[in-house]
Amino acid sequence: MNLMSVDLYQSATDPMKFLALPAGIDPAELMGPMTFDQDYAQVVKYREGFEFDPSESYAGVNAAKIAADILTVKWAMYRREA
């Protein structure tokens, strides 16, 4: 898979929960994530323009699932596991 440029947001109420969006998308315009989990109603930018490689291994996350979610629904909710 190719690199994906994504913006990462962290939940303001649960610091282990993150939201990945295609770079430049405003999370305030999305209803989906907070519909599934209220912890995504308030997010803070964690990292901007991250070059995400779905084939890489990232500690505590399922990169392939994040990429699949972004490609299908345009956002991915995930929880960083220790």
Side-chain angles (χ1 to χ4, degrees), residues 14-18 40 58-62 78-82:
D14 185 339
M16 296 303 282
K17 291 183 179 180
F18 292 84
Y40 294 102
Y58 296 95
V61 300
N62 182 338
Y78 65 97
R79 182 177 183 86
R80 183 183 290 168
E81 302 298 331

Side-chain angles (χ1 to χ4, degrees), residues 50-71:
F50 178 67
E51 294 298 322
F52 178 72
D53 185 345
S55 64
E56 284 289 318
S57 176
Y58 296 95
V61 300
N62 182 338
K65 179 168 180 357
I66 291 170
D69 287 350
I70 290 172
L71 290 171

Side-chain angles (χ1 to χ4, degrees), residues 8-12 17-19 27 42-47:
L8 303 175
Y9 293 86
Q10 186 174 30
S11 169
K17 291 183 179 180
F18 292 84
L19 181 65
Q42 293 181 315
V43 293
V44 292
K45 191 168 278 188
Y46 178 76
R47 195 153 178 199

